[in-house]
Amino acid sequence: MPLSLLRRRNVMLALVFVAALLPLGANPYHLFVANLIFIYILLSVGLNLLLGYAGQLAFANAAMFGIGAYGTGLLQVHFGWPFLIAFPAGALIATAVGLTLALPALRLSGLYLALSTLAFAQFTQWVFLHWEGVTFGAGGFKTPQVSFAPLPVDHRQGLYYLSLVIMVAMVWFAGNIVTSRVGRAFITVRDSEVAAESLGVDLLRYKALAFGLSAFYAGIAGGLYSQMLNFVSPEGYDLFQMVLQKAMVVVGGLGSIAGSVLGAGTIILVLELLREFKGAQEVVFGALLLVFIIFMRGGIVSVIKRHIPGWEEPLHRAGVLPPAEPPTSLPLAPPAQERGAS
């Protein structure tokens, strides 16, 4: 097979085509695993925008995942909202919380930002557990099952196709973000905040945008997750959930949308294949992380880029160079000979 056929765009289109046909011959368990992969692709892509592109070492993504799930489910249970209205509302609630987290991120960075967002994640977990009048406490609660009538699909297939369409749209949207001025601003902030400010990059604006986008992706994933399980409980959004999402970004490749897709799919498939061997599951998961951290720091996508052409992810759209910035300072004085001639 010519390597040109294995270009990133061709592989991604082939994966989408296979996913679209999967319900025709898959059993309910296969659909569940595939749907779970779609949800974790959303989480991985959103986290990579924040961590890999904007360089913000935050540990609140699991909390945003939970806020999206709880927001969607509680709006259905307490207020009787239909899923198709509660779902985007839950994502917007998570986005609002993510934007609020950008305020301390303006003054904190590195380890201090990580600790502050980790504290927020633990506080969110405490709220899920103890605000029993609203969240139903440690026992969780059951969410209403959405109906896709009059479409000729059952609940499981309808939710599968909904997740697939949303995942494809959000991955495409993320790819457009990183090839725009926003993506280049994220990378400037990641590489050096001082240099970014000297170039006129508004740190608060772009940090808030990175946190908001990551929270929006996590909120959407949370809403789909609550409907897939038809149940919401606190243990699904704990610290291990954050480690799992970070592992997907590391295994796939930091600063790569394609890497986020590959990392999420790889981790979920490995965990599902070892589900019957709980001890082996934890050992393999840890060993996989060590291998990628020590020997393959660029993740799966870095290995693919070295051997297969067409997997590069430039920061501008093909055939379109980023526009030149207008000068922001006064022009230099003319050379001495020009001044003498005048």
Side-chain angles (χ1 to χ4, degrees):
M1 178 184 296
L3 290 181
S4 60
L5 294 179
L6 297 178
R7 298 172 67 90
R8 174 170 53 89
R9 184 184 298 272
N10 296 338
V11 171
M12 294 300 170
L13 288 175
L15 290 176
V16 171
F17 180 74
V18 171
L21 297 180
L22 183 64
L24 300 179
N27 60 38
Y29 173 71
H30 294 151
L31 285 184
F32 174 84
V33 173
N35 207 343
L36 193 63
I37 290 174
F38 300 157
I39 290 171
Y40 275 99
I41 286 174
L42 288 171
L43 288 166
S44 181
V45 169
L47 182 59
N48 217 339
L49 288 174
L50 179 65
L51 179 62
Y53 285 94
Q56 302 302 300
L57 186 60
F59 283 84
N61 217 51
M64 299 303 165
F65 185 35
I67 290 171
Y70 269 88
T72 301
L74 292 175
L75 288 173
Q76 292 177 274
V77 172
H78 286 310
F79 299 101
W81 288 18
F83 173 75
L84 294 181
I85 298 178
F87 171 46
L92 290 177
I93 292 172
T95 305
V97 176
L99 290 172
T100 305
L101 276 181
L103 297 178
L106 186 63
R107 294 183 176 274
L108 301 174
S109 61
L111 180 61
Y112 299 102
L113 177 60
L115 290 175
S116 64
T117 52
L118 180 60
F120 170 79
Q122 293 300 98
F123 170 74
T124 303
Q125 183 77 3
W126 185 90
V127 171
F128 292 160
L129 282 168
H130 294 92
W131 198 8
E132 296 183 1
V134 176
T135 65
F136 299 94
F141 62 96
K142 186 175 176 61
T143 61
Q145 192 174 88
V146 64
S147 173
F148 290 93
L151 297 177
V153 292
D154 59 18
H155 167 262
R156 189 181 298 107
Q157 292 177 335
L159 186 64
Y160 173 89
Y161 281 116
L162 177 64
S163 300
L164 175 61
V165 170
I166 291 176
M167 183 273 294
V168 171
M170 296 301 287
V171 169
W172 175 83
F173 179 63
N176 279 275
I177 289 174
V178 300
T179 57
S180 67
R181 292 171 61 98
V182 173
R184 294 190 289 275
F186 283 170
I187 292 176
T188 306
V189 173
R190 178 195 68 189
D191 291 344
S192 173
E193 292 188 6
V194 175
E197 285 188 299
S198 69
L199 293 172
V201 175
D202 188 336
L203 289 184
L204 176 58
R205 176 186 176 187
Y206 286 104
K207 282 188 176 183
L209 187 57
F211 273 94
L213 283 170
S214 179
F216 182 62
Y217 275 73
I220 289 178
L224 292 172
Y225 191 65
S226 69
Q227 187 57 222
M228 183 182 71
L229 298 181
N230 283 131
F231 189 77
V232 180
S233 61
E235 63 266 17
Y237 315 101
D238 55 8
L239 187 59
F240 177 74
Q241 179 66 237
M242 188 68 253
V243 174
L244 184 63
Q245 295 176 31
K246 294 279 188 185
M248 291 176 181
V249 174
V250 171
V251 169
L254 280 169
S256 170
I257 300 300
S260 300
V261 176
L262 298 175
T266 300
I267 292 292
I268 293 299
L269 288 176
V270 168
L271 293 181
E272 288 298 324
L273 289 173
L274 297 173
R275 179 170 292 278
E276 296 182 3
F277 311 97
K278 188 64 177 179
Q281 188 183 57
E282 296 175 357
V283 170
V284 172
F285 180 69
L288 190 66
L289 272 181
L290 285 176
V291 168
F292 277 90
I293 291 173
I294 297 174
F295 301 106
M296 298 171 58
R297 294 187 179 181
I300 296 173
V301 75
S302 66
V303 178
I304 296 176
K305 286 178 181 179
R306 285 199 297 268
H307 297 92
I308 302 177
W311 278 80
E312 297 77 13
E313 297 177 74
L315 296 179
H316 57 84
R317 295 178 180 86
V320 180
L321 293 176
E325 299 290 341
T328 57
S329 59
L330 294 175
L332 298 175
Q337 59 270 27
E338 292 185 11
R339 293 200 301 269
S342 60

